[in-house]
Amino acid sequence: FGVRYAEDIFLQRNLEDLKKQFNNFDFTLTVSRPQQDWPGTKGRVTEHIKKTPMPLNGRFFLCGSPEMVKEIRSILQEERQIPKDRIHFEVW
């Protein structure tokens, strides 16, 4: 889950609740333009997705700018061999 600035974070509590409720759900909050005191993951989601272990039988839900969604879909399909039917997306 990536945002540019920490103040752009939304639904974090909902995602944390889902992670507690479902052992097959996970997310990492990533801020691409953090302030110096940001304690969490920094950088673009696309940087982190390349080095994050992913199950081939998982489902992936993408939402965001057309460029970001296209780049992540390419990483998942071409580099990670995730089948297209396991990748769900919406651009805005």
Side-chain angles (χ1 to χ4, degrees):
F1 176 40
V3 295
R4 282 193 181 116
Y5 306 101
E7 54 268 14
D8 295 334
I9 296 170
F10 63 99
L11 296 176
Q12 182 177 2
R13 183 168 300 192
N14 298 68
L15 294 170
E16 289 169 352
D17 289 345
L18 286 170
K19 187 173 179 173
K20 289 176 189 172
Q21 187 177 358
F22 299 101
N23 64 356
N24 63 344
F25 176 82
D26 198 6
F27 78 101
T28 300
L29 181 57
T30 304
V31 178
S32 63
R33 297 181 185 164
Q35 292 183 338
Q36 281 189 318
D37 62 345
W38 173 251
T41 305
K42 302 170 186 170
R44 296 187 68 220
V45 170
T46 51
E47 295 169 20
H48 297 288
I49 205 111
K50 290 181 179 185
K51 53 189 171 185
T52 301
M54 297 187 191
L56 291 176
N57 64 345
R59 293 208 175 268
F60 303 85
F61 297 85
L62 315 174
C63 182
S65 71
E67 298 82 19
M68 185 274 299
V69 169
K70 182 179 178 181
E71 188 174 351
I72 298 227
R73 285 178 65 206
S74 175
I75 292 167
L76 292 175
Q77 290 174 324
E78 296 170 18
E79 296 178 25
R80 296 303 190 92
Q81 306 301 308
I82 303 294
K84 286 182 182 183
D85 66 340
R86 299 201 166 273
I87 303 170
H88 311 277
F89 64 93
E90 180 177 333
V91 296
W92 47 270

